[in-house]
Amino acid sequence: MVLVLGILGSPRRGGNSEILLDRALAGAADASAEIERLHPASLRIAGCTECNDCYALGECSTADDMDRVYAALERADRIVVASPIFFMSFPAQLKAVIDRTQKYWALKYILREPFPRPAGSPPRYGAYIGVGATKGKVLFDGARLTLKYFFDAIAVEPREELYVLVRGIDEQGEIREREQALEDAYRTGAALARL
Ligand SMILES: Cc1cc2nc3c(=O)[nH]c(=O)nc-3n(C[C@H](O)[C@H](O)[C@H](O)COP(=O)(O)O)c2cc1C
């Protein structure tokens, strides 16, 4: 049984990303996956200070709730990030999590050690569910690029064919009116679990 971790990037509870993430996790559960959820905005997670301790230790010296996030990231077989666009990027709470995975970047590129997973673990795949208020062509370009490097640091292969990108959504819960997006999120969760 694969473990699908959903990371909610929005600080807004009951918002569009959360509704879509819940659909995706329902899809994953229906496809027999075990599911877990993380909400960075509900945790105390400081930004990376670039102390570079992780270059020597492979560990982060900042003590806060990121410990729980590291454990969840290491457990997960699949990761789905659901997040709104804030200023063409990710909300700060999620970006703090991403920056703090610098210790995995250091492990890979400085210390040349493998990502800490038990031997025989399945390959890791990642998906993204994005929402934004505007409709421009480049709306998700920043998020897509940041995710590519985040996933690389944590040894996850991005599966862009499973990305669900929804434009023109702003009010809290407005996504409930977009049946297609809800279906796409469900299907992405199920497909991610079955990869
Ligand atoms: C601080 C902030 C910055 C935002 N920046 C953008 C943006 O750059 N482009 C955009 O299309 N929408 C932007 N939005 C709108 C949100 O992406 C939109 O309201 C989204 O539906 C929120 O999703 P949620 O309900 O999951 O939080 C921004 C919203 C906030 C609060």
Side-chain angles (χ1 to χ4, degrees):
M1 189 191 276
V2 297
L3 173 59
V4 177
L5 172 66
I7 303 178
L8 177 59
S10 175
R12 179 160 76 173
R13 301 307 304 263
N16 301 309
S17 312
E18 184 165 30
I19 292 165
L20 290 172
L21 181 62
D22 284 346
R23 291 296 171 117
L25 293 178
D30 288 348
S32 300
E34 191 182 341
I35 59 171
E36 188 175 346
R37 258 179 56 137
L38 269 181
H39 185 222
S42 299
L43 301 172
R44 273 185 46 259
I45 298 171
C48 174
T49 60
E50 204 174 2
C51 67
N52 291 351
D53 282 359
C54 61
Y55 283 27
L57 308 170
E59 287 299 338
C60 182
S61 298
T62 302
D64 58 12
D65 290 341
M66 193 63 197
D67 283 355
R68 286 154 61 180
V69 179
Y70 290 137
L73 291 175
E74 291 174 22
R75 271 196 301 273
D77 302 310
R78 308 281 185 266
I79 294 181
V80 53
V81 174
S83 180
I85 295 296
F86 278 13
F87 283 87
M88 302 307 279
S89 180
F90 288 124
Q93 296 89 343
L94 172 59
K95 187 57 164 52
V97 163
I98 293 173
D99 290 353
R100 293 282 297 284
T101 61
Q102 179 74 347
K103 78 164 191 176
Y104 297 122
W105 181 92
L107 213 54
K108 182 171 181 177
Y109 292 106
I110 308 281
L111 300 169
R112 306 274 169 200
E113 284 179 30
F115 188 86
R117 295 269 289 160
S121 301
R124 288 160 40 102
Y125 301 113
Y128 170 51
I129 297 173
V131 297
T134 58
K135 297 185 175 168
K137 189 166 174 287
V138 300
L139 178 58
F140 296 103
D141 285 8
R144 210 195 290 264
L145 196 56
T146 299
L147 267 189
K148 181 179 171 197
Y149 286 87
F150 169 51
F151 282 154
D152 178 71
I154 62 169
V156 164
E157 183 187 322
R159 297 300 293 250
E160 293 217 5
E161 77 278 12
L162 300 181
Y163 286 13
V164 177
L165 308 175
V166 191
R167 294 173 165 81
I169 289 290
D170 203 13
E171 298 305 319
Q172 186 174 27
E174 193 184 340
I175 197 72
R176 289 186 205 283
E177 293 157 24
R178 299 275 284 268
E179 194 52 46
Q180 186 62 53
L182 299 171
E183 270 176 37
D184 289 348
Y186 180 90
R187 225 174 297 122
T188 273
L192 194 61
R194 291 197 180 103
L195 276 174

